Amino acid sequence: MDANELLAWARGPGFDIALTIFVAGMLLRLFEVMALGKKPDLSAARGSGAQGGMRTLVARTLPRKSVFDKEPLRIINGYVLHIGFFIVLFLYEPHIALFDRALGISWPGLPSGLIDAIGAITILSLIAALVFRLNNTVMRFLTTKGDWLAWAVTLLPVLTGYMAYNHLLLPYTLMLALHLLSVELLMVVAPFTKLTHMFSFATARWYQGYQAGRRGVES
Amino acid sequence: MDDLSLGERLRQRGVSRRGFMKFCAATASMMALPPMMIPKIAAALEQAKRPSVIWLSFQECTGCTESLTRSHAPSIEGLIFDHISLDYHHTLQAASGDAAEHAREEAMQANWGEYLLVVDGSIPLGANGNYSAIAGISNLDMLKECAEGAAAIVSVGTCAAYGGLPMANPNPTDAVAVADIIDDKPIVNVPGCPPIPTVITGVLAHFLTFGRLPELDGLGRPKAFFGQSIHDRCYRRPFYERGQFAETFDDEGARKGWCLFKLGCKGPTTYNACATAKWNEGTSWPVEAGHGCIGCSEPRFWDAGSFYQALSVPFRDVGDTILAAGTAGLAVGAAAAVWNRKRKADAREKRDTITIKDLSKES
Ligand code: SF4
């Protein structure tokens, strides 16, 4: 199989398979959690659940001072990583073309050169995240195999994308094919690792905030 | 056939030394060789004998020959073609029928082991090779026969090089490329649908000058011409970098000459010299004319999705996939939920109630 065939597979059957697993897997995981249900809360509400939900959604997106003061670099790196990944994924024109094709919606992107630079920062930030984790005994102890896997499948698409764009190591066609395949790997793995947080972060924060809000306590 | 060297022939035609050196310089640039090679080329060409060329056309559209003969005159290409002895080319030769076949056989015999075999078109293997035959000889047999005595083979056009259009899904004639059949001869692929005339003649000039084929890449293409992608040498590249893309063929962006990536340009994955060599006497080339590159010099370009869809998008419409996968996910999720609830209920039912008594030491 040459690079062209690999690329054709990645853009054809490969993408279909990955998308099916991604969508089905994510919905399955989210639905499964939500369907666990909770016992009816019979006490009188002491505050607004919805307000609490909204508050927590925002609050947990911002750094908590006590944690930030302890490890400012790790927290900042977390932001760089997430925002970088977000920009590269959603604001690169060829990616927007993909969303346009898949979902029928598009939006303006950023200059490719800028995306290139942000991609490089994202890669460094992902590597830094690994270093922070390895250097922290407690975190290293808490890290499961699934976490290593989640890290690797997140790094690969950014790395291969960067290398394809800059024509590093391998011919462009092959690197592009590997880039698409690495994205497909991410899509297949995501629903079954902690990467589900790309969606569940919202539902989880909302739920906890809702509970707390109803009870009139801080969350 | 006379036995003059190229140098002698050109002098006979009244070409001066200066003109000859100019010709060598042009040949060097055509082969993408550095200027310091010019004296070497001059020395080699001075001595070069007239090589016999046999050109076979199989499952093809004659576009490759059209491309070659449309190269502008008077040109280096023209001179090269005056110099080689094109002993058999059934589109161009005057002879037909038996006479033509005799010419081929004669040329083969007279130059056994030395002639250059040029092939355009793919070779059908289906129906015992009977989908395409010339003078009652199947393409497969003729290729094998002619390849045996060839010094080297030039597969001209994407069909001969990689199977091309005839091989496109579902490949009804079971078409294959030359290199799929012949594996004991040096083969150079000059893909393109059609290939750029200067690239065809550049390869011939290289063979003429050095008596061997140029350096090739992993897909058997001369590196000098196919070493870089269209995208790498495209003059619209700055627009790509700035994120300025034409969205339709007649929008503001298209008029301003912005990048054609979103309109399906395959320049990034296509290796060819169009952006620098250009077409029609150096007039223009597809991207300059406002149409994205279709990737015609790459293997299986015909089966690589729509010409008008960006390289980064999937081939198929994925709306159905999302819907089906979503439904399946919810269904399995619902099943899992029912199962979880049942487990919970079971656990509740089966658990032993622990009283304070159970916890006292005596029991
Ligand atoms: S028009 Fe095609 S080849 Fe030129 S820069 Fe855009 S994508 Fe690349």
Side-chain angles (χ1 to χ4, degrees):
Chain A
M1 193 184 254
D2 63 37
N4 285 292
E5 272 177 288
L6 202 62
L7 181 62
W9 191 84
R11 290 178 66 199
F15 188 81
D16 283 340
I17 296 169
L19 186 70
T20 306
I21 296 177
F22 181 74
V23 174
M26 276 297 177
L27 278 171
L28 156 69
R29 294 302 300 271
L30 290 177
F31 189 80
E32 197 186 359
V33 172
M34 286 187 230
L36 282 177
K38 62 182 182 72
K39 288 196 188 139
D41 188 348
L42 300 174
S43 62
R46 265 177 254 149
S48 155
Q51 252 179 35
M54 286 307 283
R55 207 171 34 238
T56 308
L57 258 180
V58 178
R60 296 230 176 137
T61 307
L62 302 172
R64 197 170 278 219
K65 193 170 178 324
S66 56
V67 183
F68 186 82
D69 287 348
K70 249 197 268 170
E71 286 183 290
L73 278 182
R74 190 165 71 81
I75 304 298
I76 292 173
N77 190 57
Y79 281 101
V80 173
L81 189 165
H82 280 88
I83 295 171
F85 193 92
F86 196 87
I87 293 178
V88 172
L89 172 59
F90 290 111
L91 297 181
Y92 182 45
E93 288 282 0
H95 295 169
I96 298 173
L98 165 72
F99 289 109
D100 195 5
R101 167 101 170 120
L103 308 170
I105 43 170
S106 72
W107 50 85
L110 288 178
S112 313
L114 188 60
I115 297 287
D116 182 40
I118 296 172
I121 294 170
T122 310
I123 293 169
L124 292 177
S125 170
L126 269 159
I127 293 170
L130 186 72
V131 172
F132 282 127
R133 191 171 275 270
L134 287 170
N135 277 339
N136 186 317
T137 329
V138 178
M139 279 219 320
R140 203 170 57 215
F141 177 72
L142 290 174
T143 305
T144 63
K145 278 197 193 117
D147 295 335
W148 299 125
L149 178 68
W151 179 84
V153 296
T154 309
L155 176 73
L156 281 177
V158 194
L159 190 66
T160 50
Y162 182 80
M163 293 207 291
Y165 182 84
N166 290 290
H167 293 217
L168 303 175
L169 212 63
L170 295 173
Y172 180 81
T173 310
L174 183 55
M175 203 41 118
L176 179 65
L178 292 179
H179 175 58
L180 300 194
L181 290 173
S182 71
V183 173
E184 284 157 18
L185 182 68
L186 172 67
M187 289 164 76
V188 167
V189 166
F192 311 103
T193 60
K194 71 168 179 189
L195 293 174
T196 41
H197 81 263
M198 66 178 77
F199 295 113
S200 67
F201 84 98
T203 51
R205 282 174 196 179
W206 173 268
Y207 176 76
Q208 305 215 324
Y210 187 94
Q211 297 285 62
R214 209 184 126 83
R215 288 178 195 148
V217 293
E218 236 183 80
S219 84
Chain B
M1 198 197 306
D2 60 49
D3 237 6
L4 296 179
S5 74
L6 178 61
E8 288 161 342
R9 185 182 314 280
L10 292 176
R11 269 193 296 283
Q12 206 180 49
R13 287 224 193 151
V15 175
S16 65
R17 178 75 193 160
R18 193 187 151 88
F20 178 63
M21 289 312 284
K22 251 172 118 180
F23 169 80
C24 294
T27 308
S29 83
M30 189 164 71
M31 292 188 287
L33 293 173
M36 64 186 196
M37 291 297 284
I38 296 171
K40 265 198 174 167
I41 293 171
L45 281 185
E46 184 69 49
Q47 299 303 323
K49 292 282 182 238
R50 194 175 197 213
S52 165
V53 174
I54 292 175
W55 184 306
L56 302 177
S57 298
F58 296 145
Q59 288 195 126
E60 47 85 47
C61 69
T62 314
C64 295
T65 299
E66 286 283 347
S67 165
L68 188 62
T69 51
R70 298 292 159 92
S71 58
H72 48 294
S75 67
I76 304 302
E77 294 93 312
L79 284 172
I80 298 260
F81 267 83
D82 281 348
H83 184 61
I84 66 170
S85 164
L86 194 51
D87 290 327
Y88 179 84
H89 184 308
H90 45 234
T91 315
L92 299 180
Q93 68 197 0
S96 62
D98 276 352
E101 294 314 306
H102 282 315
R104 178 172 64 83
E105 281 154 19
E106 258 170 42
M108 279 171 59
Q109 262 161 27
N111 304 286
W112 191 256
E114 280 165 13
Y115 60 85
L116 193 63
L117 181 63
V118 180
V119 180
D120 66 336
S122 67
I123 302 96
L125 299 182
N128 294 324
N130 280 327
Y131 280 113
S132 176
I134 297 156
I137 308 168
S138 76
N139 291 170
L140 181 63
D141 289 341
M142 192 180 277
L143 174 64
K144 282 185 178 162
E145 194 186 314
C146 293
E148 218 188 322
I153 303 175
V154 184
S155 294
V156 165
T158 305
C159 297
Y162 307 128
L165 244 63
M167 203 182 92
N169 195 20
N171 190 3
T173 64
D174 223 346
V176 296
V178 171
D180 291 328
I181 296 167
I182 308 297
D183 54 10
D184 56 353
K185 293 283 170 185
I187 299 178
V188 56
N189 290 330
V190 185
C193 194
I196 304 171
T198 17
V199 177
I200 306 176
T201 47
V203 171
L204 296 180
H206 195 286
F207 183 78
L208 209 68
T209 314
F210 301 111
R212 60 185 161 75
L213 296 175
E215 202 194 337
L216 307 179
D217 71 1
L219 287 168
R221 307 176 286 201
K223 277 188 180 160
F225 301 106
F226 296 90
Q228 276 179 300
S229 70
I230 296 287
H231 185 65
D232 283 341
R233 296 191 270 200
C234 178
Y235 75 102
R236 294 195 190 215
R237 182 69 179 268
F239 296 111
Y240 175 88
E241 303 295 345
R242 286 203 288 272
Q244 292 173 314
F245 299 93
E247 305 278 341
T248 66
F249 282 108
D250 59 356
D251 69 355
E252 178 84 16
R255 273 191 289 275
K256 284 186 176 156
W258 288 358
C259 172
L260 302 166
F261 181 89
K262 284 192 168 179
L263 291 171
C265 181
K266 304 294 180 287
T269 52
T270 305
Y271 292 76
N272 207 340
C274 302
T276 42
K278 299 200 184 180
W279 288 84
N280 301 325
E281 303 180 34
T283 308
S284 183
W285 61 293
V287 167
E288 195 174 338
H291 192 289
C293 165
I294 61 170
C296 75
S297 56
E298 292 294 316
R300 280 170 293 279
F301 78 99
W302 201 255
D303 291 326
S306 161
F307 291 158
Y308 300 100
Q309 253 156 29
L311 206 47
S312 59
V313 311
F315 289 167
R316 273 186 352 102
D317 224 337
V318 292
D320 297 350
T321 317
I322 295 179
L323 221 64
T327 318
L330 285 179
V332 180
V338 170
W339 190 65
N340 281 340
R341 273 174 189 249
K342 189 174 169 306
R343 268 207 327 178
K344 218 161 132 189
D346 283 357
R348 196 179 296 132
E349 212 167 82
K350 283 193 195 125
R351 81 174 165 199
D352 294 327
T353 323
I354 298 173
T355 65
I356 196 83
K357 249 182 165 179
D358 299 325
L359 296 175
S360 63
K361 277 180 186 159
E362 287 85 351
S363 67

